[in-house]
């Protein structure tokens, strides 16, 4: 395992809330959350470095949104600077805050297509009618759809997602 901290994208800052610098975090953690005991969120800067933002407070808004107050953002103008930015958690914090049955918790799982391991899920992309799993195979980026026709089962203990992909899907990416 790498010694550097791994980060997992949980969503993005959807907008500002009120006049004191609060923001709305739209997340895919799979449950209502006030991010209890979380001290730090991360936002990538232009160079790709993960910059820490310290949490002053958080309050549940809905199943997928949390009101967040971050240190150093004390006005609506200051808060606007991070609107639409992607938000990341350190992997250990992610494990504590993501619902165990949420699709985002599949990050790091292996994908197995009819007995053949394809790779590890690096990112989950949620769309209205399906979920896409991003992974790398043979040095190329591959998107695997998860929906009722492709998903066979999930073995949470072994961290494996079993799929049955349509013939030719992988050829689109690998040829």
């Amino acid at each position: 395992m790498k010694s550097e901290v791994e980060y997992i994208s949980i969503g993005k800052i959807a907008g500002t809330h009120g006049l004191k610098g609060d923001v709305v975090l739209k997340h895919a953690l799979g449950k209502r959350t006030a991010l209890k005991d979380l001290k730090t969120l991360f936002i990538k800067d232009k160079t790709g470095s993960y910059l820490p933002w310290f949490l002053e407070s958080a309050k549940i808004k809905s199943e997928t949104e949390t009101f967040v107050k971050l240190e150093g953002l004390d006005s609506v103008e200051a808060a606007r600077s991070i609107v639409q930015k992607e938000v990341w958690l350190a992997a250990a914090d992610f494990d504590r805050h993501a619902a165990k049955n949420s699709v985002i918790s599949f990050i790091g799982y292996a994908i197995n297509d009819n007995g053949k391991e394809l790779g590890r899920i690096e990112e989950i992309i949620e769309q209205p009618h399906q979920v896409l799993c991003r992974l790398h195979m043979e040095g190329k980026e591959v998107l695997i759809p998860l929906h009722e026709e492709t998903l066979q089962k999930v073995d949470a203990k072994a961290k494996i997602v079993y799929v049955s992909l349509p013939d030719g899907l992988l050829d689109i990416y690998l040829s």
Side-chain angles (χ1 to χ4, degrees):
M1 189 94 183
K2 293 181 272 191
S3 61
E4 66 191 57
V5 175
E6 287 189 36
Y7 299 94
I8 297 172
S9 171
I10 61 160
K12 68 181 181 178
I13 303 296
T16 59
H17 174 71
L19 302 173
K20 295 187 175 151
D22 294 36
V23 293
V24 177
L25 168 61
K26 185 160 183 56
H27 61 79
L29 293 171
K31 62 181 178 182
R32 296 165 58 89
T33 182
L35 302 169
K36 188 169 168 22
D37 300 325
L38 183 70
K39 306 227 181 313
T40 316
L41 310 167
F42 295 86
I43 295 177
K44 274 190 191 176
D45 68 4
K46 288 180 178 70
T47 68
S49 298
Y50 295 92
L51 298 181
W53 286 82
F54 299 101
L55 229 62
E56 286 184 6
S57 65
K59 190 170 74 186
I60 294 169
K61 177 181 183 212
S62 69
E63 190 77 22
T64 59
E65 293 180 324
T66 302
F67 293 123
V68 175
K69 176 73 174 120
L70 297 171
E71 197 175 282
L73 296 181
D74 297 318
S75 68
V76 70
E77 293 78 20
R80 278 194 196 115
S81 69
I82 64 167
V83 168
Q84 296 303 312
K85 299 261 194 224
E86 197 168 357
V87 175
W88 303 73
L89 291 184
D93 288 332
F94 173 82
D95 290 342
R96 283 202 332 268
H97 292 284
K100 298 301 173 234
N101 61 350
S102 69
V103 181
I104 198 171
S105 70
F106 294 167
I107 292 173
Y109 279 37
I111 287 226
N112 186 303
D113 177 32
N114 295 312
K116 179 182 182 230
E117 186 169 318
L118 304 180
R120 298 232 167 250
I121 299 172
E122 298 169 15
E123 180 184 15
I124 297 289
I125 303 161
E126 293 193 63
Q127 298 187 318
H129 300 291
Q130 71 180 357
V131 170
L132 295 173
C133 299
R134 185 176 63 77
L135 52 125
H136 277 83
M137 288 179 66
E138 300 172 19
K140 296 183 177 156
E141 184 176 271
V142 175
L143 296 175
I144 304 290
L146 292 185
H147 50 71
E148 59 189 36
E149 283 123 45
T150 60
L151 182 62
Q152 300 299 305
K153 72 174 185 173
V154 176
D155 183 340
K157 215 175 209 122
K159 295 194 171 207
I160 301 171
V161 175
Y162 292 92
V163 295
S164 181
L165 299 178
D167 291 339
L169 177 72
L170 293 175
D171 299 337
I172 293 169
Y173 295 104
L174 302 177
S175 58

